[in-house]
Amino acid sequence: METKIVKLECGDGILSPEDKAALKEAGEVLKKGGLVAFPTETVYGLGGDALNKASSQKIYAAKGRPSDNPLIVHICRFEDIYQIASWVPGEAERIARAFWPGPLTMILPKSDLVPRETTGGLDTVAVRMPSHPAARELIACAGGFVAAPSANTSGKPSPAAAQYVVEDMLGKIDMIVDGGQVGIGLESTIVDLTVSPPQILRPGYVTREMLEKVLGTVEEDAVLLSGDSKKPPRAPGMKYRHYAPRGELTIVQGPQEEVVRYINSRAAKEKAEGEKVGVIATKEALSLYRADVVKSVGSRRDEEEIARHLYNILREFDREAVTKIYSEGFSSRGFGQAIMNRLLKAAGYRVVELKEDMENI
């Protein structure tokens, strides 16, 4: 398959006439059952017609994604939610007013309009209204309902820049819309509104604290920062290994001096054994590490910077053929929880916990 690539200008968030023409063309591709990768404010999405079961099946095939892993339906007008959800509680309307358009996905009971091929066989539907102007324009041009997981090969780091979409999807889909680097860099928060109290199934930019200001009590799924559940996934990203580089990733947590000492010791041993070792470091500790490749993910004081850089760094390690990767750990509160959730999944929950004055490394 020949994949057409179109580059948007999208200066200052404003679509040019040429941008709108390209997005109209992309919308026609989706209407005809094709697949289009496009930018959102979180990561790049791989779009298909959410109401066409054949399109959803194509998405799973292009990604190599398990078919029981639900897709998110993207809309561009709030009122469209009433067509794809059989019931919309007051909580949905309140958080939509607070966070839509934006990086928040709601789980609601699905209507008969949405095929089970889109929902991974579930009776619920995941719904989001992105804030990226190109995404919203494309959704409108495509008829209003676009199913879109991240535009990467299943299991690999999600693409925060178009070059990584090209890397994974060239020749597999009809079109790639290049909107440059995305703004947030991690997938949307997912909150389940079919349970009481509402429950966060995937952490993201919209934090528990932010949701509780609108909804009151909000719980978190027990597997957010632990091993995967054996139950069928209730939302994207819950069951399977995700965001993973080719090299083996280990997260190291503990006092800064002990983390640096442990990682440098392991890097020296593994380099001697023929491994190529990479380190994901914060700016504050960057100069302290000794490995083949050391990359700064950003400042510990700026979690948004860390989120923007994380997936790109994991991709860069793949390009540089790094075989062993070590990363500092991050906060499990606020937006830091989303960063740790993605790192833990990328590492397959491989974590080293250090205490003061570790003697035997």
Side-chain angles (χ1 to χ4, degrees):
M1 175 185 292
E2 183 177 350
T3 302
K4 183 174 182 177
I5 301 174
V6 294
K7 188 173 180 61
L8 303 180
E9 297 176 13
C10 215
D12 297 323
I14 299 173
L15 298 173
S16 69
E18 291 77 15
D19 291 342
K20 290 183 178 181
L23 292 167
K24 183 178 180 180
E25 179 185 356
E28 291 300 319
V29 170
L30 293 175
K31 285 180 178 179
K32 294 175 182 177
L35 302 184
V36 176
F38 62 98
T40 77
E41 73 277 16
T42 56
V43 296
Y44 274 77
L46 176 56
D49 180 353
L51 308 185
N52 181 341
K53 64 181 182 181
S55 293
S56 293
Q57 289 169 334
K58 286 182 180 180
I59 291 173
Y60 287 114
K63 284 179 62 71
R65 180 185 178 99
S67 61
D68 67 343
N69 198 0
L71 307 177
I72 294 176
V73 178
H74 291 65
I75 60 177
C76 60
R77 297 172 294 267
F78 175 77
E79 58 268 25
D80 290 341
I81 199 172
Y82 298 104
Q83 295 189 55
I84 57 175
S86 61
W87 173 65
V88 180
E91 292 95 333
E93 295 171 347
R94 294 207 301 275
I95 61 175
R97 284 195 295 269
F99 304 114
W100 274 8
L104 177 73
T105 296
M106 306 180 199
I107 303 293
L108 298 168
K110 84 174 191 70
S111 74
D112 292 338
L113 189 63
V114 185
R116 287 181 175 272
E117 286 79 3
T118 298
T119 65
L122 300 178
D123 292 324
T124 55
V125 61
V127 190
R128 178 163 108 82
M129 185 194 298
S131 62
H132 196 292
R136 295 183 70 193
E137 180 77 12
L138 174 61
I139 295 164
C141 291
F145 304 100
V146 174
S150 54
N152 56 285
T153 300
S154 187
K156 292 180 69 174
S158 300
Q163 69 192 80
Y164 301 120
V165 181
V166 173
E167 195 172 276
D168 282 11
M169 292 295 151
L170 191 68
K172 298 179 182 179
I173 63 177
D174 299 274
M175 183 181 291
I176 295 171
V177 177
D178 181 351
Q181 175 73 29
V182 302
I184 294 175
L186 296 183
E187 300 82 358
S188 61
T189 303
I190 299 179
V191 60
D192 187 353
L193 297 180
T194 68
V195 297
S196 183
Q199 188 174 72
I200 295 172
L201 305 185
R202 182 176 72 188
Y205 186 83
V206 178
T207 65
R208 178 179 182 175
E209 294 79 7
M210 294 163 68
L211 286 166
E212 287 189 327
K213 288 181 180 179
V214 178
L215 297 178
T217 301
V218 175
E219 295 182 346
E220 295 173 342
D221 189 273
V223 303
L224 289 188
L225 296 177
S226 63
D228 283 347
S229 169
K230 294 180 181 179
K231 298 178 181 179
R234 294 155 58 201
M238 289 194 71
K239 181 178 179 182
Y240 300 98
R241 188 176 182 227
H242 283 268
Y243 326 120
R246 285 193 287 269
E248 182 183 88
L249 172 62
T250 302
I251 302 166
V252 185
Q253 299 194 112
Q256 181 75 77
E257 289 185 3
E258 297 302 327
V259 169
V260 171
R261 187 158 72 93
Y262 178 90
I263 290 176
N264 284 343
S265 174
R266 294 301 307 166
K269 290 179 181 179
E270 289 173 347
K271 186 175 180 179
E273 294 169 358
E275 304 283 0
K276 187 173 183 180
V277 183
V279 176
I280 301 173
T282 51
K283 287 180 179 177
E284 291 80 359
L286 184 66
S287 64
L288 303 177
Y289 291 103
R290 303 290 178 265
D292 295 297
V293 184
V294 181
K295 293 182 180 289
S296 170
V297 72
S299 171
R300 212 169 261 286
R301 295 186 293 272
D302 188 347
E303 290 176 337
E304 293 185 21
E305 181 185 26
I306 292 170
R308 281 195 302 273
H309 293 157
L310 179 60
Y311 287 156
N312 287 347
I313 285 176
L314 294 177
R315 291 274 186 165
E316 288 167 8
F317 280 140
D318 281 353
R319 285 188 168 185
E320 296 173 50
V322 171
T323 57
K324 297 282 186 176
I325 306 167
Y326 291 91
S327 175
E328 299 177 14
F330 298 95
S331 170
S332 60
R333 296 184 298 276
F335 192 26
Q337 184 188 59
I339 296 168
M340 275 302 291
N341 171 265
R342 305 315 194 270
L343 269 175
L344 285 164
K345 281 188 167 290
Y349 296 90
R350 189 180 300 101
V351 181
V352 174
E353 297 276 359
L354 301 177
K355 298 180 180 179
E356 297 280 0
D357 301 320
M358 296 288 290
E359 293 182 0
N360 298 314
I361 296 179

